[in-house]
């Protein structure tokens, strides 16, 4: 069979035909049914399918393209409404089905789906604090306190801008930890205990905090520049830290989340005192946290603070596991624990 194929290709080349178009003339008819496939295993047919096309460079017939366009016309129309500059290709057969809310209205978000949303748990204890016991704990605690000083000096009580800046940093540890655990799982052929997904989930939740804060606070050019510098430094520093000592890295993040709880509590105090206007909640926050339609800024800050408390618990928990001499994969990760 191989000799026949080689002779055919050589013959096509000698006659001046294009190799791709020559191979593509071997047109398969259809997939085999069960009985025919069993025959193929006995040697009657040289494979499980009659191939319909050998090369993808051969254009489809006009009729086939037209049929596919008609079947996806509604999807194409929706895509065109989103942006006139978007190039849509029917070739790959990739599209997003129409998604609606519970009230049958159109789902307008592309950055997250309805199944990514959740009802926040506001009953969590905000006053929890991990008392430093070991040298590493004290080092982590002092490091976080030192890192907070320039933030207090730069932003003072401008908690909207402070939150916007901190959320660009807070989303880094989850993605770094998840990435390194993912690579470790690949290297050692080991399960992660669910921690890869849990940490990536944390990073995504922090990113949604940022998307919400950007709707509330339009950052100035120098604040955007500061984000680039701080995130660049923090990402690389945390990458090295997590690679050297995951338990220290998680402990630092736990204390960072404790500071975030404190900052959002002060934010709420300024809202309650009238120093910050309690404006309407952004639409993205209403859908992400399943808030009522008349939700306000205070409601948004309250649920974000609850998220930070959950992140505090998860990271201190992860650090405790490793301080006990165990690996993260030995303790199941908490899912959907924002």
């Amino acid at each position: 069979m191989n000799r026949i194929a080689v002779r055919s290709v050589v013959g096509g080349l000698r006659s001046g035909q294009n190799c791709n178009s020559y191979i593509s003339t071997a047109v398969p008819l259809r997939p085999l049914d069960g009985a025919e496939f069993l025959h193929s295993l006995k040697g009657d047919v040289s494979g499980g399918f009659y191939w319909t096309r050998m090369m993808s460079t051969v254009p489809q017939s006009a009729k086939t393209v037209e049929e596919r366009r008609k079947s996806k016309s509604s999807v194409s129309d929706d895509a065109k409404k989103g942006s006139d500059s978007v190039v849509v290709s029917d070739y790959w057969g990739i599209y997003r089905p129409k998604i609606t809310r519970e009230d049958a209205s159109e789902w307008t978000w592309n950055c997250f789906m309805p199944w990514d949303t959740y009802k926040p748990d506001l009953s969590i204890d905000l006053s929890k604090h991990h008392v430093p016991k070991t040298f590493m704990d004290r080092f982590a605690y002092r490091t976080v306190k030192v890192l907070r000083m320039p933030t207090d000096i730069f932003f003072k009580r401008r908690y909207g801008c402070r939150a916007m800046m901190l959320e660009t940093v807070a989303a880094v540890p989850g993605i770094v930890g998840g990435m390194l655990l993912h690579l470790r799982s690949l290297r050692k052929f080991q399960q992660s205990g669910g921690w890869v997904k849990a940490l990536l989930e944390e990073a995504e939740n922090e990113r949604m905090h940022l998307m919400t804060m950007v709707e509330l606070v339009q950052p100035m050019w120098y604040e955007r520049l500061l984000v680039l510098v701080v995130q660049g430094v923090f990402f690389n520093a945390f990458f090295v830290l997590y690679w050297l000592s995951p338990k220290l890295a998680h402990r630092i993040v736990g204390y960072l989340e404790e500071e975030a709880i404190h900052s959002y509590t002060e934010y709420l105090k300024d809202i309650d005192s009238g120093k910050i206007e309690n404006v309407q909640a952004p639409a993205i926050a209403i859908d992400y946290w399943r808030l009522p339609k008349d939700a306000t800024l205070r409601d948004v800050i309250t649920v974000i603070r609850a998220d930070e408390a959950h992140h505090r618990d998860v990271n201190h928990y992860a650090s405790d596991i490793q301080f006990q001499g165990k690996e993260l994969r030995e303790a199941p990760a908490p899912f959907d624990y924002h």
Side-chain angles (χ1 to χ4, degrees):
M1 178 64 73
N2 291 337
R3 292 180 179 177
I4 295 174
V6 172
R7 290 175 182 175
S8 300
V9 173
V10 173
L13 291 173
R14 288 178 176 176
S15 60
Q17 293 179 336
N18 179 274
C19 183
N20 289 347
S21 62
Y22 188 85
I23 297 177
S24 66
T25 57
V27 181
L29 299 178
R30 56 185 172 79
L32 300 178
D33 59 24
E36 291 172 324
F37 182 71
L38 290 176
H39 265 311
S40 71
L41 297 179
K42 297 178 181 179
D44 295 340
V45 184
S46 60
F49 291 90
Y50 290 111
W51 294 100
T52 55
R53 177 170 295 134
M54 294 295 290
M55 300 297 291
S56 62
T57 54
V58 180
Q60 297 178 344
S61 66
K63 182 178 179 181
T64 303
V65 173
E66 187 63 27
E67 289 175 351
R68 297 184 65 182
R69 284 179 179 173
K70 287 181 179 179
S71 65
K72 298 177 183 176
S73 59
S74 60
V75 178
S76 299
D77 292 341
D78 291 340
K80 290 177 181 178
K81 290 179 183 178
S83 174
D84 295 334
S85 62
V86 175
V87 178
V88 180
S89 172
D90 283 338
Y91 178 78
W92 303 108
I94 298 174
Y95 64 95
R96 194 185 82 174
K98 187 175 182 180
I99 301 174
T100 59
R101 296 186 180 90
E102 293 180 356
D103 60 0
S105 60
E106 183 180 359
W107 184 263
T108 57
W109 308 106
N110 293 323
C111 55
F112 67 101
M113 295 294 103
W115 47 86
D116 298 324
T117 65
Y118 69 102
K119 197 75 174 175
D121 177 15
L122 301 181
S123 65
I124 188 169
D125 186 358
L126 300 173
S127 62
K128 283 184 179 179
H129 168 63
H130 182 277
V131 179
K133 299 176 182 178
T134 65
F135 170 79
M136 196 169 288
D137 284 349
R138 290 190 289 272
F139 175 80
Y141 183 74
R142 294 299 177 189
T143 299
V144 171
K145 288 297 183 181
V146 170
L147 291 176
R148 180 176 175 170
M149 293 174 59
T151 306
D152 289 338
I153 295 173
F154 187 84
F155 292 105
K156 298 182 180 179
R157 295 195 69 85
R158 293 185 297 134
Y159 286 106
C161 296
R162 175 199 289 257
M164 181 273 302
M165 165 62 67
L166 293 181
E167 295 299 350
T168 64
V169 174
V172 170
I175 201 73
V176 170
M179 175 183 65
L180 290 176
L181 287 179
H182 172 77
L183 294 176
R184 182 178 184 179
S185 177
L186 297 180
R187 290 195 310 272
K188 295 194 172 183
F189 311 106
Q190 295 175 341
Q191 295 290 342
S192 70
W195 281 96
V196 171
K197 183 176 181 180
L199 292 178
L200 295 182
E201 184 181 82
E202 176 186 313
E204 173 65 8
N205 182 245
E206 295 283 11
R207 190 184 67 83
M208 291 305 300
H209 292 178
L210 174 63
M211 296 298 101
T212 299
M213 297 311 301
V214 168
E215 293 290 327
L216 295 167
V217 182
Q218 297 299 325
M220 303 294 289
W221 67 267
Y222 56 86
E223 292 173 334
R224 292 176 179 270
L225 179 61
L226 185 61
V227 167
L228 292 177
V229 175
V230 173
Q231 190 185 78
V233 173
F234 184 76
F235 177 90
N236 289 283
F238 193 82
F239 179 92
V240 174
L241 175 63
Y242 201 97
W243 180 63
L244 294 175
S245 177
K247 58 184 176 183
L248 175 60
H250 282 293
R251 188 67 79 203
I252 287 177
V253 176
Y255 286 128
L256 283 173
E257 299 296 356
E258 290 184 17
E259 294 298 326
I261 294 170
H262 173 74
S263 295
Y264 281 116
T265 299
E266 294 298 313
Y267 198 163
L268 288 174
K269 287 180 180 179
D270 282 0
I271 294 175
D272 293 338
S273 64
K275 294 180 180 179
I276 299 177
E277 183 182 0
N278 191 22
V279 298
Q280 174 71 22
I284 190 172
I286 290 175
D287 281 341
Y288 182 69
W289 282 284
R290 302 177 191 169
L291 299 175
K293 298 299 181 182
D294 59 348
T296 62
L297 172 61
R298 193 184 195 287
D299 299 320
V300 174
I301 300 305
T302 300
V303 296
I304 291 179
R305 183 178 63 172
D307 287 349
E308 304 294 6
H310 286 87
H311 299 326
R312 170 204 63 194
D313 294 350
V314 170
N315 281 278
H316 279 315
Y317 171 63
S319 185
D320 288 345
I321 292 171
Q322 296 171 93
F323 266 105
Q324 295 171 12
K326 300 179 181 179
E327 295 185 11
L328 284 182
R329 63 187 180 89
E330 297 180 50
F335 287 126
D336 296 322
Y337 189 76
H338 295 281

